[in-house]
Amino acid sequence: RASFWGSRHLCRPALSLHSRSAARALRRMSMLRANFQSFLLGTTASLGAGYYFLHQDIWRSADLLGESLGSMVTASTSKTIALEQRVAKLEGEVAALKATR
């Protein structure tokens, strides 16, 4: 006579049911892992590409700003020189007027 715990007939369906649900859980976990790995790979690739393009845009804009500031400096120095010449001429005229008085 077989006891409840020693009976193969009673334990076999429970084990096969358990093994089927365990196999399903393993398949679900492996699919979840595969999906998560794909998500992480896509996220990493898009962040890398975004960083690269952003980095390139920043360098381009920095170069353009440098060129723009360089041209502004040369324009302002030429204007400053012209203004200093005019001021010097006016100071000379004022000094000549003061001398005649």
Side-chain angles (χ1 to χ4, degrees), residues 41 46 50 70 73 78 82 84 99:
L41 179 65
S46 64
V73 166
S78 65
E84 286 176 354

Side-chain angles (χ1 to χ4, degrees), residues 53-98:
F53 289 119
L54 180 65
H55 187 265
Q56 294 298 317
D57 285 345
I58 288 172
W59 277 104
R60 280 189 209 122
S61 65
D63 287 342
L64 289 174
L65 282 173
E67 291 173 5
S68 175
L69 286 175
S71 65
M72 286 174 57
V73 166
T74 56
S76 67
T77 55
S78 65
K79 288 179 182 179
T80 303
I81 291 171
L83 286 174
E84 286 176 354
Q85 289 172 349
R86 288 177 64 193
V87 167
K89 183 179 176 184
L90 287 174
E91 286 176 344
E93 290 176 5
V94 168
L97 286 175
K98 281 186 179 181

